[in-house]
Amino acid sequence: MRRTTTRLGRGLGALIATATAAVGLAATPAAATPAAAGQTVQPGQTCTAADLGTRHPIIKSAEVAPTITHFKGWYVTEGSTGNQSVSTNTTETISVSVGLNGTVQGSFAVEALGSVGASLGLNVQVNYTHTSSTSQSISWNFRQPGYYGLYEGTKKVTGTYGSLNCNRSDAGGLKWTEGPDTGSYTTYTTLEEGAVRCEDKVPANSIMAKAQSLLDCGSPAATAKHPAGPVPSAKADQAKRDADNAATAAKAAQSMKTTQAAKPSPRAALNCQPAVYKIDVPGKPLNWSAPLLANDGIRLRESTFFSAHLDNWRLCNVTERNGVIEASLWNWGNGGCATIPADIANQEQAYLTTATCGEDDLQRFYIYRDVPGSTKIGLQNKYTGSMMGHDRYADGELIRQYSSGRQDGTGTYTLTQV
């Protein structure tokens, strides 16, 4: 039998997170706490005030499991050995995703998947791509008659991540600490295609072993005389139904989350702190100013007599956990709460605006603070996990979300009481 081959999926064009192979982790589905090799920063390391508006991923768990994406049972007779091209059926489609929106958006997602690949010692897809949902043709040199399973498969890598944010430390100074933001990811390794028989001895927990498990070994189809060609596999059919049901449930759950985000429940009343603040660029006159028009966003503006309190903000429904404040930002000028529009919340650089205050995580922000005595802060949207910042310092510039924040320090603001 010809040796199993590996290849990248057709048309993937994915970036690869390179790392040294780690055979034990690569072959077995097991929960793991990846080593620190893939981390750019570590918890407890010192950071600066310029880092308040940035974040980095920390991989909290990882599971690697062989997965078959395409399969076909095939019977080879004495007269049908040799090279054949067999059209296989889709059993599971895997998409690379990070976070709630089912895609890979921005540098944070790429860094997270790169950390996964480096810490596990696997080549994983690190930008958005997916395995084929159409039939795949596999060419194989059948040297012996028998009952074969032709397959295309991969190692599916899933797990959870958190974020490291710069924040004041109880021990003094600024440290990278694990923030409240968490999420899940899915990716996969290089695709492999091959053929396997019931009687073949294959490595446990390998892609080939997973394919062998889909063969109806011991059934009449496998043991009785059979014409050359396709053989139905009840196990493969059931595997496809299970994968389809799981995908449908995941889509339904995501659709519900999107609907809930688009239509926030009205908030009966806001419990706002009495202090009024400006959110300004440190040492400069421009600050956050809420829009007068519903289709506009929060922009950098200079405070004047005509600002009409659009640059005045209150912190409402404030909670604090592990030194991180969570609050809604209520604008005195238009009575709305700062939010990322639901229809673009999954986009890198989506702009910040205001809307009617409601029970909505898109309107909730984590606030990371400089050392006591300083008013410098970084702000992170609770729902998207992205940090707030601006592309350039200019009058009228929109405040936007950046998945990793602005690495040049333009995501650090000052919460100045007025």
Side-chain angles (χ1 to χ4, degrees):
M1 187 175 71
R2 197 182 76 181
R3 187 177 180 182
T4 299
T5 60
T6 61
R7 64 173 179 80
L8 287 176
R10 297 172 175 87
L12 293 180
L15 295 173
I16 299 296
T18 56
T20 305
V23 176
L25 267 175
T28 57
T33 302
Q39 299 297 141
T40 57
V41 297
Q42 299 296 323
Q45 286 182 339
T46 301
C47 52
T48 69
D51 296 314
L52 289 170
T54 63
R55 74 198 268 244
H56 293 280
I58 179 171
I59 304 305
K60 300 171 72 68
S61 68
E63 184 173 304
V64 184
T67 301
I68 302 302
T69 60
H70 294 80
F71 184 86
K72 174 65 72 69
W74 196 259
Y75 200 86
V76 177
T77 64
E78 288 286 356
S80 62
T81 57
N83 290 310
Q84 294 188 48
S85 184
V86 178
S87 182
T88 60
N89 299 321
T90 303
T91 55
E92 184 172 352
T93 301
I94 301 170
S95 295
V96 178
S97 64
V98 178
L100 294 171
N101 53 40
T103 61
V104 176
Q105 283 278 342
S107 56
F108 179 86
V110 173
E111 185 181 353
L113 294 176
S115 298
V116 172
S119 58
L120 291 178
L122 294 175
N123 291 338
V124 300
Q125 310 303 311
V126 299
N127 62 345
Y128 178 71
T129 184
H130 60 87
T131 61
S132 175
S133 60
T134 60
S135 175
Q136 295 283 16
S137 180
I138 296 177
S139 296
W140 204 256
N141 183 15
F142 297 97
R143 296 179 180 177
Q144 302 176 58
Y147 178 42
Y148 288 82
L150 281 93
Y151 67 89
E152 182 175 85
T154 183
K155 294 183 179 75
K156 183 178 182 180
V157 185
T158 57
T160 57
Y161 65 83
S163 68
L164 292 177
N165 295 79
C166 185
N167 195 35
R168 64 173 59 171
S169 168
D170 291 339
L174 290 172
K175 305 289 185 183
W176 288 107
T177 58
E178 189 172 340
D181 173 49
T182 59
S184 60
Y185 64 85
T186 299
T187 186
Y188 60 94
T189 63
T190 302
L191 291 167
E192 171 187 304
E193 60 182 31
V196 63
R197 301 180 302 164
C198 292
E199 58 268 35
D200 289 336
K201 301 298 182 182
V202 299
N205 298 316
S206 63
I207 297 172
M208 185 178 285
K210 182 69 174 180
Q212 192 179 55
S213 73
L214 298 183
L215 281 171
D216 291 326
C217 297
S219 69
T223 58
K225 293 291 184 180
H226 196 282
V231 182
S233 172
K235 291 181 180 178
D237 292 342
Q238 183 60 49
K240 176 172 174 53
R241 285 192 292 270
D242 292 343
D244 289 345
N245 290 338
T248 300
K251 287 180 180 178
Q254 180 58 39
S255 178
M256 181 176 294
K257 289 177 182 177
T258 302
T259 301
Q260 290 170 344
K263 298 179 179 179
S265 327
R267 193 187 299 272
L270 285 172
N271 179 18
C272 295
Q273 295 181 347
V276 179
Y277 299 95
K278 288 183 180 178
I279 305 173
D280 48 29
V281 178
K284 298 182 178 181
L286 299 183
N287 58 83
W288 287 23
S289 181
L292 281 172
L293 303 176
N295 61 348
D296 197 6
I298 296 172
R299 297 177 181 271
L300 290 179
R301 299 287 190 195
E302 187 170 358
S303 295
T304 68
F305 177 79
F306 302 101
S307 296
H309 294 301
L310 290 172
D311 53 6
N312 288 171
W313 302 86
R314 281 196 170 116
L315 305 185
C316 304
N317 292 0
V318 178
T319 61
E320 183 172 346
R321 182 166 66 91
N322 297 330
V324 180
I325 290 175
E326 180 186 328
S328 297
L329 307 177
W330 178 82
N331 186 262
W332 190 356
N334 68 13
C337 285
T339 187
I340 302 292
D343 59 340
I344 58 171
N346 65 335
Q347 296 178 16
E348 183 80 350
Q349 298 190 37
Y351 65 89
L352 191 64
T353 187
T354 55
T356 302
C357 297
E359 296 288 347
D360 186 353
D361 283 346
L362 282 170
Q363 297 182 8
R364 300 288 286 172
F365 293 84
Y366 300 125
I367 300 176
Y368 301 93
R369 294 170 291 173
D370 199 0
V371 295
S374 169
T375 57
K376 292 181 179 178
I377 61 167
L379 297 105
Q380 179 183 27
N381 186 265
K382 181 177 182 179
Y383 182 80
T384 67
S386 293
M387 309 300 294
M388 300 300 107
H390 54 273
D391 188 53
R392 76 182 197 277
Y393 180 75
D395 185 67
E397 185 70 15
L398 283 166
I399 303 299
R400 301 179 183 273
Q401 67 171 2
Y402 300 85
S403 59
S404 293
R406 298 289 296 170
Q407 302 301 317
D408 59 1
T410 51
T412 296
Y413 297 98
T414 303
L415 196 64
T416 306
Q417 187 169 344
V418 297

